[in-house]
């Protein structure tokens, strides 16, 4: 009954509207024209376009909360996966809130930023905000991203209050696209647990194999920083690293685990040397002093782990 009264009020208001009355007159005029009339064809086409535009706009607005929620859920799923905590059929929101803690890190100092809310911080958007980002010098921009956010959102997996693993956001240019992903490290900030690229547009079957679970499994147990004079890989895609510097790299072909330095090497992507070089560069960039090295050094210092 209430809805009927509201509808009647709307109709009464429209009847008093001068523009609505003019529209009714024009509508009746158009409908009275023959189907082969150019004016009628154009008017109906315009009306259809307006109706479709209204429907699309309404759908976009109405579905936006659902889209945002799905995007957040997918991100949580990727974080849980790279942490080795994703279980089929589990409640992703609950698993994430129970096992993952998000923190904001100042990349320059390596300190946590306590006055920023991790839930509201979007690192990719921040990289486009002049107030929250900084240009990367060309000689240091080996990942070819040009601009980086001043702050990064990291994710910690804790057990009994102690850090079990650290999940770091990484990105860099491959062959055709910028790859966005996560690198999961042990609490020592040195040993790789897993890597996962959730956004990339590399060639399917070649560079696109960065999402292949079999290739990703090759990263487990690899070391990030050179612990001794690394001879470098004879088949390496880039030069060797000095002690304490990022040494992890993809090589051409298959890693020979019997040779020294194999702990810093991952099989390259067959037929995708440029994507492989891109992955090497982005990992080395984000593990360097330009990226998370200051933060990881402080994590190791707190745990008493030798660098």
């Amino acid at each position: 009954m209430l809805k009927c009264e509201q509808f009647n009020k709307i109709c009464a208001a429209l009847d008093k509207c001068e523009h609505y009355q003019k529209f009714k007159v024009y509508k009746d005029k158009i409908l009275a024209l023959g189907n082969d009339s150019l004016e009628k064809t154009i008017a109906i086409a315009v009306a259809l376009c307006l109706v479709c535009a209204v429907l699309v706009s309404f759908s976009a607005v109405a579905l936006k909360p659902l889209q945002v929620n799905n995007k957040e859920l997918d991100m949580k799923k990727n974080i849980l996966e790279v942490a080795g905590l994703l279980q089929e059929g589990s409640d992703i929101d609950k698993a994430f809130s129970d096992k993952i803690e998000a923190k904001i890190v100042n990349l320059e100092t390596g300190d946590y930023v306590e006055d920023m809310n991790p839930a509201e911080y979007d690192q990719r958007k921040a990289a486009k905000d002049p107030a929250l980002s900084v240009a990367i010098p060309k000689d240091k921009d080996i990942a070819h991203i040009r601009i980086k956010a001043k702050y990064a959102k990291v994710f910690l997996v804790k057990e009994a209050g102690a850090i079990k693993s650290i999940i770091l956001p990484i990105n860099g240019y491959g062959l055709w696209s910028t790859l966005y992903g996560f690198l999961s490290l042990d609490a020592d900030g040195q040993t790789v647990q897993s890597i996962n690229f959730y956004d990339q547009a590399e060639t399917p079957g070649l560079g696109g194999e960065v999402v292949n679970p079999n290739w990703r499994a090759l990263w487990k147990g690899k070391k990030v920083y050179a612990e001794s004079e690394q001879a470098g890989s004879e088949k390496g895609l880039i030069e060797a690293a000095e002690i304490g510097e990022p040494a992890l790299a993809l090589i051409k072909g298959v890693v020979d685990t019997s040779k020294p330095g194999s702990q810093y090497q991952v099989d390259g992507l067959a037929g995708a040397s440029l994507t492989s070089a891109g992955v090497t560069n982005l990992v080395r960039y984000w593990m360097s002093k330009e990226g998370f090295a200051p933060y990881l050094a402080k994590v190791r210092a707190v745990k008493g782990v030798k660098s």
Side-chain angles (χ1 to χ4, degrees):
M1 182 64 71
L2 182 59
K3 289 185 177 179
C4 290
E5 290 178 1
Q6 291 176 339
F7 179 75
N8 290 333
K9 287 181 180 179
I10 292 173
C11 291
L14 287 174
D15 287 337
K16 295 178 182 178
C17 178
E18 181 182 350
H19 295 294
Y20 178 68
Q21 295 304 321
K22 288 182 179 180
F23 167 75
K24 286 179 66 177
V25 171
Y26 181 70
K27 179 199 71 172
D28 293 338
K29 173 188 172 184
I30 290 297
L31 292 177
L33 294 174
N35 291 334
D36 58 348
S37 168
L38 178 61
E39 183 180 1
K40 183 175 183 178
T41 302
I42 293 175
I44 290 177
V46 170
L48 285 173
C49 289
L50 288 173
V51 170
C52 290
V54 170
L55 289 175
V56 170
S57 299
F58 174 77
S59 299
V61 173
L63 295 175
K64 187 174 182 180
L66 181 61
Q67 293 170 342
V68 171
N69 183 66
N70 286 341
K71 183 178 179 181
E72 291 178 353
L73 197 65
D74 184 65
M75 189 63 68
K76 291 178 180 178
K77 180 179 178 181
N78 279 284
I79 293 168
L80 287 169
E81 182 181 3
V82 80
L85 298 173
L86 183 64
Q87 296 181 354
E88 188 174 351
S90 64
D91 186 324
I92 292 175
D93 279 324
K94 186 177 187 306
F96 188 89
S97 61
D98 288 347
K99 301 175 181 178
I100 305 291
E101 179 184 6
K103 303 281 283 185
I104 303 297
V105 171
N106 182 320
L107 289 174
E108 183 178 5
T109 64
D111 296 320
Y112 290 125
V113 182
E114 301 297 348
D115 59 352
M116 293 178 69
N117 184 354
E120 298 176 354
Y121 182 70
D122 187 323
Q123 189 172 333
R124 290 176 69 166
K125 286 185 178 180
K128 299 176 183 178
D129 185 340
L132 296 173
S133 61
V134 59
I136 304 171
K138 286 186 177 181
D139 61 326
K140 296 181 179 180
D141 188 21
I142 60 174
H144 303 292
I145 55 179
R146 297 187 298 173
I147 299 172
K148 68 176 179 181
K150 295 178 181 178
Y151 309 101
K153 180 156 62 173
V154 303
F155 303 90
L156 306 176
V157 179
K158 292 185 175 181
E159 284 188 358
I163 296 176
K164 179 182 178 183
S165 57
I166 307 163
I167 301 165
L168 307 172
I170 53 176
N171 67 286
Y173 205 76
L175 173 59
W176 305 113
S177 66
T178 298
L179 296 89
Y180 292 89
F182 294 106
L183 181 66
S184 176
L185 303 177
D186 283 345
D188 61 5
Q190 163 72 330
T191 308
V192 177
Q193 290 185 350
S194 182
I195 193 169
N196 183 21
F197 290 101
Y198 62 86
D199 187 358
Q200 56 84 27
E202 297 299 285
T203 308
L206 297 173
E209 288 296 289
V210 290
V211 299
N212 188 319
N214 294 327
W215 179 77
R216 290 171 49 209
L218 300 175
W219 289 73
K220 186 172 180 59
K222 297 297 180 178
K223 304 295 182 180
V224 174
Y225 299 102
E227 299 164 303
S228 60
E229 289 294 345
Q230 186 188 359
S233 62
E234 299 170 3
K235 301 182 290 184
L237 294 170
I238 61 176
E239 69 278 2
E242 296 179 359
I243 297 177
E245 295 297 317
L248 189 56
L250 274 64
I251 69 164
K252 295 177 181 177
V254 178
V255 175
D256 185 347
T257 57
S258 66
K259 290 186 176 181
S262 62
Q263 68 269 35
Y264 307 110
Q265 301 172 352
V266 178
D267 295 1
L269 298 163
S273 59
L274 291 179
T275 301
S276 296
V279 172
T280 292
N281 286 328
L282 72 87
V283 168
R284 285 198 170 189
Y285 175 80
W286 285 107
M287 296 302 102
S288 73
K289 294 177 182 178
E290 286 286 306
F292 291 105
Y295 167 65
L296 294 174
K298 292 192 174 184
V299 171
R300 286 192 292 269
V302 170
K303 292 185 65 63
V305 177
K306 189 176 181 180
S307 299

